[in-house]
Amino acid sequence: MPATLGSVNVYLIRGPRGAALVDTGFNDSSSQKELEDQLASRGLSLSDIDTLVCTHHHQDHTGLGQLLSKAGAKTVISTLDAKSLAIYLSDD
């Protein structure tokens, strides 16, 4: 994923029960486009991601969480970071 850091690692896990994404990249148009393009190159769309695993609450790991949540992904994150992540998943 493109980022001011140079790049951010995002991992796709596909299995017999669906697709999961580990981390999201930043919440910006270039990261969203890159994610959508990479998924499309694998025959997937945002709505095909059923689980989002956020390793921790930093913007480069949770930034597109709201977008994926609205597309139907269930989000998994540690209890410690769950309250902070709620900021990204809210409509406010």
Side-chain angles (χ1 to χ4, degrees):
M1 300 292 281
T4 56
L5 302 172
S7 64
V8 173
N9 294 324
V10 174
Y11 301 93
L12 173 67
I13 301 169
R14 294 175 82 171
R17 294 184 296 183
L21 199 66
V22 179
D23 295 331
T24 70
F26 286 101
N27 183 17
D28 60 34
S29 59
S30 62
S31 293
Q32 181 178 340
K33 181 177 180 343
E34 184 67 22
L35 177 59
E36 290 173 338
D37 289 351
Q38 290 296 326
L39 289 173
S41 74
R42 291 157 177 81
L44 299 170
S45 68
L46 293 175
S47 63
D48 292 312
I49 305 300
D50 51 37
T51 305
L52 170 60
V53 179
C54 296
T55 57
H56 62 282
H57 177 246
H58 282 158
Q59 292 181 12
D60 56 324
H61 297 265
T62 61
L64 291 172
Q66 182 182 40
L67 177 72
L68 287 154
S69 178
K70 286 182 177 182
K74 174 182 134 187
T75 302
V76 179
I77 192 168
S78 74
T79 302
L80 293 173
D81 287 327
K83 288 182 181 180
S84 297
L85 181 63
I87 294 167
Y88 292 99
L89 299 181
S90 73
D91 288 327
D92 298 336

